[in-house]
Amino acid sequence: MKRLVAALLLTLLCLTPARAAELAGVTLPDTVDVGAHKLVLNSIALREKFVFDVYVAGLYLPEKSSDPEAILQKEAPRMMVMHFVRDVDAKAIREAWIEGLEANVKDITPELRDKFDQLNDMMADIKDGQEMGFTYDPGTGTDVMVAGQAKGGIPGKDFADAILATWIGPKPGPGKSFKKQILGEK
């Protein structure tokens, strides 16, 4: 009898879905594995433009934090995932990256500008339901995924910090409400 109860409990545990966060019909897992590291979902946020929902983003960190400066200073893996809920053309995405860089990074070196040019070369039109992601590993840099396709890596913590600052910097492109949401301040 004990074995039957144990087997039933084990079966139920295996069938229980992992916890997840949901926003605007998009569900993101509470944890992700990046290499040998398990990252936790810091929070999720909805990017809106005018009256339209654009994407749901999830920020994954080694541990939750609401302090943008501490997040940027920490030399640790992190990941930002954007799940689009409408079509967005590559030109608009490219413009947003440059605006975000210029609004949130004080001293833009020529090397950092080149890295953003490299990022912009990776951009493609995004369709409703597709994802874009940025995974930073201190040993290798930032892996870029666009429309579900790996596009390559961009080295350096300077780039990883600058791209994340477009969302959690002093003048986040998606707005202060988005920044509060992604930092878990809701």
Side-chain angles (χ1 to χ4, degrees), residues 147-183:
Q149 302 293 315
K151 292 293 188 170
I154 300 176
K157 188 168 185 302
D158 62 335
F159 174 77
D161 290 349
I163 196 74
L164 189 56
T166 65
W167 292 290
I168 67 170
K171 297 177 184 173
K176 293 194 183 286
S177 174
F178 179 96
K179 177 180 174 178
K180 286 182 179 182
Q181 288 177 42
I182 207 73
L183 292 173

Side-chain angles (χ1 to χ4, degrees), residues 27 50 55 58 61 66-67 83 90 97 102 138 179:
T27 302
F50 306 114
Y55 61 81
L61 302 169
S66 61
D67 182 347
H83 182 95
W97 291 136
E102 292 172 350
K179 177 180 174 178

Side-chain angles (χ1 to χ4, degrees), residues 78-80 82 97 119 132-136 142-144 167:
R78 58 186 177 222
M79 183 171 78
M80 179 68 106
M82 305 156 63
W97 291 136
L119 171 67
M132 184 180 301
F134 303 90
T135 305
Y136 175 65
T142 303
D143 289 328
V144 179
W167 292 290

